[in-house]
Amino acid sequence: MIDPELAWKAVQTRDASANGSFCFGVLTTGIYCRPSCTSRQPLRKNVRFYETAEAAEQAGLRACLRCRPREAHPTDPAAAMVQAACRYLETNSGKA
């Protein structure tokens, strides 16, 4: 269950660590986003919170083209670096 106050705080601060735990929809635009989306901040009265992208879509919202909430993204830049290092090691392991 989503705590609306904590979720709204995550949206206001664009908290990337909240990505994946919920998404928020803006009723006036018909769009749903990740908590870290850099789009213009909506008015609180127009925002609804959803546990999944599927739930937001069932409510009639469409995915944001800026943050692309249906696509997998690492939650922070360090995660992308670790993934790149793992791919390098997988490709180059055993080569001396």
Side-chain angles (χ1 to χ4, degrees):
M1 182 130 180
I2 300 170
D3 179 344
E5 294 305 314
L6 290 176
W8 178 240
K9 181 68 92 179
V11 170
Q12 287 181 308
T13 60
R14 293 186 168 111
D15 184 3
S17 68
N19 288 348
S21 59
F22 72 91
C23 57
F24 72 95
V26 182
L27 301 181
T28 52
T29 62
I31 295 172
Y32 70 95
C33 301
R34 297 172 187 272
S36 66
C37 186
T38 59
S39 64
R40 187 172 150 201
Q41 292 278 315
L43 295 175
R44 173 63 181 101
K45 68 180 183 177
N46 298 326
V47 174
R48 301 295 179 272
F49 300 103
Y50 302 93
E51 292 193 14
T52 64
E54 291 79 16
E57 289 176 5
Q58 287 175 354
L61 302 172
R62 62 187 168 86
C64 174
L65 295 176
R66 183 176 298 205
C67 69
R68 301 188 186 276
R70 288 194 103 353
E71 294 179 13
H73 290 290
T75 56
D76 64 53
M81 239 178 8
V82 169
Q83 288 177 347
C86 289
R87 281 191 298 273
Y88 175 82
L89 290 172
E90 288 168 356
T91 328
N92 296 299
S93 64
K95 295 180 182 177

